[in-house]
Amino acid sequence: MTARVAEGCGTLATVTDALTREELARTALACPPFTLAIRLAEWVGDSRELTSTSVLRPAVAVQACQALGIALPVGKLRRAKDVFELARAWDAAVAAGLVLVTANRASAAPD
């Protein structure tokens, strides 16, 4: 089996079965956007409110940014997607199954 994985979290490399689960986990955990996605999922916890487009509501996004140390733009936040670092972490957390989205709520996936 051959797979493609992020190398250094920026480029793709082809690997074979020689890559162990532990090596893959270490690679993922060395990727700052993925570690931020993990922290975001932990922050989401049992339940956070979402918009109709399945992203954090602006007020909740501000709380997330403050908790995670993400810089906010000047002025009132209109959309969570306007904060690139938060939007990237959100997309990664949802795609990796770290955050579960149902209707207008999100929760961290069970361990």
Side-chain angles (χ1 to χ4, degrees):
M1 179 177 107
T2 300
R4 294 186 55 81
V5 297
E7 182 180 284
C9 202
T11 60
L12 291 178
T14 301
V15 295
T16 63
D17 285 339
L19 184 66
T20 66
R21 291 183 84 126
E22 292 78 19
E23 290 168 325
L24 184 58
R26 273 194 303 277
T27 300
L29 292 174
C31 178
F34 189 70
T35 58
L36 186 59
I38 292 170
R39 290 178 48 222
L40 177 59
E42 291 168 348
W43 178 85
V44 165
D46 291 335
S47 183
R48 298 290 176 169
E49 191 174 6
L50 303 178
T51 66
S52 61
T53 59
S54 298
V55 296
L56 294 171
R57 293 198 167 280
V60 178
V62 168
Q63 294 170 359
C65 289
Q66 291 169 339
L68 299 171
I70 297 171
L72 286 161
V74 176
K76 186 176 179 179
L77 185 63
R78 290 182 33 245
R79 304 177 320 150
K81 291 180 180 182
D82 291 339
V83 182
F84 174 76
E85 193 175 6
L86 178 63
R88 181 172 60 177
W90 180 259
D91 290 343
V94 171
L98 301 171
V99 170
L100 306 176
V101 174
T102 53
N104 66 339
R105 306 297 295 182
S107 61
D111 290 337

